[in-house]
Amino acid sequence: MDISLKYIATINREPLVSDIYDNLQNICEFEPDLILAIGGGSVMDVAKGLHLFYENPDMSFEDSLIPFSLPILGKKAVLIAVPTTSGTGSESSSAAVFIDEKTRIKKLLLSNTLIPHYAVLDADLTDSLPPSIQIATGLDALCHAVESLTAKNTNSFTRAIAMEAALDILEYLPYAVNTDIPAEARILAKEKLHMAATMAGIAITNSFTGIVHSYDHPGPCFKIPHGIVCAVMLPYSMKLIGPTEPYADIAKRLGYKGDAEALFEQFVSHLIQFNGRLGLPRTFKEKGIPESEYFENVPEWARISLTAKATQMSPADMNEEKGRLFYKMCYDGLSE
């Protein structure tokens, strides 16, 4: 049997809208019946975009941004995703994220038809990851898991998957990036982390993310890795939601005791300390983002984030004023 292969592209940064159109002609001319995406979330998201427009060449990019409106894929090709990072969960999620080069604003393709037909999970493929990337991608997965716990359409099944994913990431991410422990322990940690990232992807696909993933504009604007943005913003997003049963449940699983308010505060504190263990800043101010440039963008960020599906599915009940407050908290921290 004759098999023809064609290498299309390397994506080694946050994916841009232009990455789709720069490579679309190649894939359309080759006419594959299988698209294989091997890499991190950026690679898999670009593959999803190419798959969509390869099978629907007359679709405009603006039309593709309408949530849950995309046609079923697989008429021309199947998509196989092989993640080489443990974080985005793109191999099991219904989303593909792109950055507009001119505005540095995130654009989201969202439809269950974007979920790859097959995913191949092999934690050995993460062995060459630098610790910084392992940390950033792992924190993205942690944010997926925690945010999906409180999405408005969460249910017993998604909470169970998200809870297990969050607990595994909190336990095993520090070991996965610790080169001073025995190799066997690191291998186990990476395996747990890799499975947890995919589980978190399943959780958000069947529930949703939250305001961290709709208000994360400081990332593309200041070229901060998405997972680091997630880690900084997550505790402050939880403050806008307040005590919930899922937060209390995960705090109990972490060994904390008390009423709902105490468990909530202990879980928020646990996340902040966890970030500190990994060498992360508490705020965007500590990260070194220029204050004037940051707050110059805040009104626009607060406005455009309101229409995002993740905002609508969050219990935070956002408006522009709360959005501005959220960004201020993420920059200055919480007053004691």
Side-chain angles (χ1 to χ4, degrees), residues 2-311:
D2 290 335
I3 297 176
S4 298
L5 303 175
K6 185 177 179 68
Y7 171 78
I8 297 295
T10 293
I11 309 296
N12 55 8
R13 45 163 169 68
E14 297 283 349
L16 305 174
V17 174
S18 61
D19 288 325
I20 297 174
Y21 293 101
D22 287 347
N23 296 290
L24 187 57
Q25 183 176 349
N26 276 340
I27 200 168
C28 288
E29 290 176 352
F30 186 61
E31 297 185 334
D33 54 18
L34 185 151
I35 299 170
L36 178 62
I38 304 175
S42 297
V43 170
M44 291 185 283
D45 284 0
V46 171
K48 288 179 177 181
L50 287 171
H51 191 198
L52 173 65
F53 290 101
Y54 165 53
E55 296 202 356
N56 301 277
D58 296 328
M59 175 179 286
S60 70
F61 189 74
E62 287 67 29
D63 285 344
S64 75
L65 299 176
I66 302 172
F68 300 105
S69 67
L70 300 180
I72 293 174
L73 300 179
K75 300 183 294 292
K76 294 183 178 180
V78 297
L79 174 61
I80 299 177
V82 186
T84 60
T85 64
S86 306
T88 70
S90 186
E91 70 279 0
S92 57
S93 82
S94 55
V97 182
F98 298 89
I99 305 300
D100 186 302
E101 288 177 276
K102 293 182 179 179
T103 65
R104 303 304 299 177
I105 295 295
K106 182 176 69 174
K107 302 291 184 179
L108 179 68
L109 307 186
L110 185 63
S111 176
N112 287 340
T113 64
L114 292 175
I115 301 171
H117 294 91
Y118 301 95
V120 178
L121 305 180
D122 184 351
D124 290 348
L125 296 176
T126 69
D127 284 349
S128 61
L129 284 181
S132 59
I133 295 179
Q134 186 94 68
I135 289 171
T137 54
L139 292 170
D140 184 19
L142 176 62
C143 189
H144 289 163
V146 173
E147 287 198 305
S148 71
L149 288 170
T150 58
K152 288 181 179 179
N153 63 339
T154 186
N155 57 65
S156 297
F157 295 99
T158 62
R159 283 196 300 273
I161 295 170
M163 181 84 68
E164 196 63 33
L167 290 169
D168 278 353
I169 295 166
L170 287 168
E171 179 173 358
Y172 290 105
L173 178 55
Y175 294 114
V177 297
N178 186 351
T179 57
D180 294 328
I181 64 173
E184 295 80 3
R186 286 194 75 200
I187 290 170
L188 172 62
K190 288 186 175 186
E191 184 75 22
K192 291 283 190 179
L193 196 60
H194 209 52
M195 298 303 115
T198 297
M199 290 167 62
I202 294 170
I204 60 173
T205 293
N206 291 280
S207 56
F208 226 84
T209 54
I211 57 173
V212 171
H213 278 82
S214 50
Y215 284 75
D216 60 344
H217 304 294
C221 182
F222 296 101
K223 299 183 179 179
I224 305 170
H226 173 67
I228 305 303
V229 173
C230 288
V232 171
M233 300 185 82
L234 181 59
Y236 305 111
S237 74
M238 293 169 61
K239 282 289 188 178
L240 292 181
I241 295 172
T244 67
E245 183 179 348
Y247 291 160
D249 288 344
I250 196 169
K252 290 175 188 175
R253 292 280 299 273
L254 289 168
Y256 295 109
K257 301 182 184 301
D259 60 16
E261 179 69 33
L263 288 166
F264 168 68
E265 294 295 342
Q266 289 172 104
F267 183 34
V268 171
S269 178
H270 186 97
L271 290 175
I272 292 173
Q273 292 175 27
F274 181 76
N275 290 344
R277 286 175 61 194
L278 295 173
L280 271 66
R282 290 187 176 217
T283 64
F284 288 133
K285 183 176 183 178
E286 289 184 13
K287 180 64 179 170
I289 292 179
E291 183 173 5
S292 59
E293 190 175 351
Y294 178 88
F295 283 102
E296 179 183 336
N297 284 285
V298 162
E300 176 68 4
W301 292 340
R303 183 186 65 80
I304 64 175
S305 299
L306 283 178
T307 59
K309 195 71 174 177
T311 301

